[in-house]
């Protein structure tokens, strides 16, 4: 999805990106305004800018509430029909599923609430100080009356986003409600297919009625697909077992090794992190960097004195998602994989990305072989 969007700055530490299809909308508006014989097609673009700003505020509403609830927002991608807030799911704290759906509903409703608040504030202000704007006159959203458009565009954004069509916010509320009764991946699939149903309906009705609806349908479809892909990624993380990707050929150190011995071993290995083993017990972990630091600062010593004794272990059947959470939540760079207390492999951040890519490649090859 990133390939199709360009960076447009940061607000509150959240990266803002604009999807390339947005520029198709600008072109579309310019051409419609020009073909209508509008004296100033620039007003059309000003209207787009206003809607654009309101969409950014809408997305910031999601981003702030979600960061506040412990799921930091990574980036906001602006599509012509609205935005998509990418959450940093890997940093999601593990909490009972019971609380998750309420949190998801809070995050989903934050966006439309921002638009309702803008519409209410702007509407009240206009009625009070600029009655000549004629808030209730048609057309509600039109480049010839920008203040009135501000109010109605926000009402429209709120209403549209509240449709139960995933990945619109209403669809997210729906998914959250569904996830109370089924697992999250199934709930998302269900919500995505309902969303694509809505998209198809928009396109069909649009053909008979208003070409704008076709566009909305198309973008709804794209958005649903983007969302499904990120859920697929999440489900890959859930289905890959550590035994599929762990390093089984790795160097270990003993607590009785001197740091100079350790450095010698480190030179002959690509590893950055080493498990420290006494007999068959895991007693700690140490990184190449730590070995070097210690040698520089205090000269030679024993691994035992320097190694990190606080570490997490994982089982070989454990999912990649769970290892990922362990690595990132504790800021670790290595997780030993054990079976019956015996060390059978290691997973490091360094090898994780690498193995994921290899695994994806080998699955693709296997699928290609099956199809041919
Ligand atoms: Zn939203």
């Amino acid at each position: 999805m990133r390939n199709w969007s360009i960076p447009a700055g940061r607000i509150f530490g959240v990266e803002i990106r604009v999807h390339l299809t947005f520029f198709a909308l600008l072109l579309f508006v310019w051409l419609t305004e020009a073909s209508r014989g509008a004296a100033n097609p620039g007003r059309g673009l000003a209207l787009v800018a206003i809607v654009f700003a309101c969409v950014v505020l809408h997305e910031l509403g999601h981003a702030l509430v979600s960061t506040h609830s412990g799921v930091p927002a990574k980036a906001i991608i602006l599509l012509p029909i609205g935005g998509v807030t990418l959450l940093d799911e890997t940093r999601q704290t593990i909490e009972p599923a019971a609380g998750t759906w309420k949190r998801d509903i809070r995050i989903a409703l934050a966006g439309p609430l921002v638009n309702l608040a803008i519409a209410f504030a702007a509407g009240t202000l206009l009625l009070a100080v600029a009655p000549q704007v004629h808030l209730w006159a048609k057309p509600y959203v039109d480049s010839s009356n920008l203040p009135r458009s501000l109010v109605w565009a926000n009402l429209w954004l709120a209403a549209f986003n509240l449709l139960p069509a995933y990945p619109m916010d209403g669809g997210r509320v729906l998914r959250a409600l569904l996830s109370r009764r089924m697992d999250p991946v199934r709930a998302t699939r269900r919500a995505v297919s309902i969303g694509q149903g809505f998209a198809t309906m928009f396109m069909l009705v649009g053909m008979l009625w208003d070409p704008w609806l076709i566009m909305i349908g198309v973008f709804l479809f794209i958005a649903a697909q983007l969302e499904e892909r990120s859920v697929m990624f999440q489900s890959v993380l859930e289905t890959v077992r550590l035994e599929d990707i762990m390093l089984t050929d790795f160097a270990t150190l003993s607590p009785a090794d001197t740091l100079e011995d350790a450095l010698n071993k480190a030179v002959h290995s690509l590893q950055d992190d080493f498990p420290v083993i006494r007999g068959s017990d895991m007693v700690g972990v140490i990184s190449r960097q730590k070995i070097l630091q210690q040698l520089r600062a205090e000269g030679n010593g024993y691994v035992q004195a320097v190694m990190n004794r606080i570490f997490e272990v994982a089982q070989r059947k454990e999912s990649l998602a769970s290892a990922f959470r362990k690595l990132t939540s504790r800021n670790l760079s290595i997780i030993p994989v054990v079976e019956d207390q015996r060390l059978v492999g290691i997973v490091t951040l360094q090898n994780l990305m690498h193995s994921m890519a290899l695994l994806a490649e080998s699955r693709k090859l296997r699928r290609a072989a099956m199809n041919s």
Side-chain angles (χ1 to χ4, degrees):
M1 145 146 58
R2 285 178 165 250
N3 302 340
W4 286 88
S5 61
I6 56 169
R10 286 179 163 273
I11 306 179
F12 298 128
V14 183
E15 189 186 2
I16 312 272
R17 302 181 73 92
V18 180
H19 200 262
L20 289 178
T21 47
F22 202 91
F23 298 98
L25 174 74
L26 290 185
L27 192 71
F28 183 77
V29 168
W30 182 277
L31 292 177
T32 347
E33 291 276 313
S35 73
R36 247 176 28 172
N40 187 0
R43 286 185 80 89
L45 296 189
L47 179 58
V48 174
I50 288 176
V51 175
F52 184 91
C54 294
V55 168
V56 172
L57 291 173
H58 170 114
E59 293 304 321
L60 279 175
H62 290 308
L64 291 182
V65 171
S66 108
T67 304
H68 200 74
S69 332
V71 192
K74 256 194 314 200
I76 290 172
I77 298 194
L78 294 163
L79 291 161
I81 47 157
V84 180
T85 301
L86 298 184
L87 302 182
D88 197 348
E89 298 275 0
T90 57
R91 285 179 57 194
Q92 196 165 336
T93 42
I94 312 151
E95 50 182 320
T100 324
W101 67 273
K102 281 187 194 153
R103 181 199 65 196
D104 289 349
I105 291 180
R106 269 202 311 274
I107 297 175
L109 291 181
L113 279 178
V114 168
N115 294 118
L116 287 177
I118 297 174
F120 182 75
T124 320
L125 191 73
L126 285 174
L127 284 178
V129 304
Q132 75 277 13
V133 165
H134 300 298
L135 212 49
W136 308 106
K138 280 186 176 178
Y140 296 128
V141 178
D142 190 82
S143 55
S144 60
N145 190 332
L146 294 177
R148 181 165 70 217
S149 301
L150 172 67
V151 175
W152 287 100
N154 273 291
L155 287 177
W156 192 84
L157 276 174
F160 178 62
N161 275 285
L162 284 172
L163 282 180
Y166 195 81
M168 295 292 107
D169 299 324
R172 285 171 199 278
V173 173
L174 180 69
R175 179 184 66 163
L177 294 175
L178 286 173
S179 75
R180 288 162 65 195
R181 278 182 292 125
M182 53 183 86
D183 73 88
V185 175
R186 260 186 65 208
T188 309
R189 288 247 164 83
R190 181 78 54 91
V192 164
S193 49
I194 294 173
Q196 288 181 332
F198 264 95
T200 316
M201 198 186 73
F202 268 107
M203 288 189 266
L204 288 177
V205 173
M207 277 180 224
L208 302 171
W209 194 30
D210 187 342
W212 271 102
L213 291 179
I214 302 183
M215 266 216 354
I216 291 171
V218 169
F219 287 119
L220 209 52
F221 222 96
I222 294 178
Q225 212 181 13
L226 288 178
E227 200 70 28
E228 196 180 22
R229 217 172 289 163
S230 103
V231 172
M232 289 300 287
F233 177 71
Q234 199 63 29
S235 79
V236 166
L237 284 183
E238 296 288 350
T239 53
V240 172
R241 308 276 140 233
L242 289 185
E243 58 187 353
D244 299 330
I245 57 136
M246 67 188 183
L247 291 178
T248 48
D249 190 11
F250 56 93
T252 60
L253 296 172
S254 143
D257 282 341
T258 64
L259 292 173
E260 280 178 359
D261 291 341
L263 187 64
N264 270 331
K265 278 194 194 170
V267 168
H268 294 292
S269 151
L270 284 173
Q271 263 166 261
D272 281 337
D273 302 273
F274 299 87
V276 182
I277 311 281
R278 181 189 287 125
S280 59
D281 294 337
M282 248 318 285
V283 289
V285 294
I286 191 169
S287 70
R288 177 202 298 256
Q289 205 190 355
K290 183 89 194 192
I291 297 171
L292 275 172
Q293 252 174 22
Q294 192 67 19
L295 276 170
R296 272 195 214 115
E298 298 179 26
N300 206 1
Y302 289 96
V303 166
Q304 178 148 27
V306 189
M307 69 188 188
N308 191 354
R309 288 160 199 276
I310 300 165
F311 56 89
E312 290 245 17
V313 296
Q315 307 295 318
R316 64 187 301 160
K317 296 279 179 208
E318 230 174 281
S319 77
L320 190 51
S322 125
F324 219 69
R325 279 193 285 265
K326 282 183 181 170
L327 278 171
T328 49
S329 69
R330 294 248 200 137
N331 234 336
L332 306 169
S333 52
I334 177 172
I335 288 193
V337 183
V338 297
E339 186 181 45
D340 308 327
Q341 320 280 345
R342 200 166 45 85
L343 181 67
V344 290
I346 58 171
V347 173
T348 67
L349 264 186
Q350 185 198 1
N351 96 272
L352 208 61
M353 295 303 161
H354 192 69
S355 340
M356 281 291 288
L358 276 179
L359 190 71
E361 236 7 83
S362 81
R363 284 191 172 183
K364 225 184 282 171
L365 285 174
R366 214 177 312 151
R367 213 172 308 138
M370 263 161 51
N371 291 342
S372 63

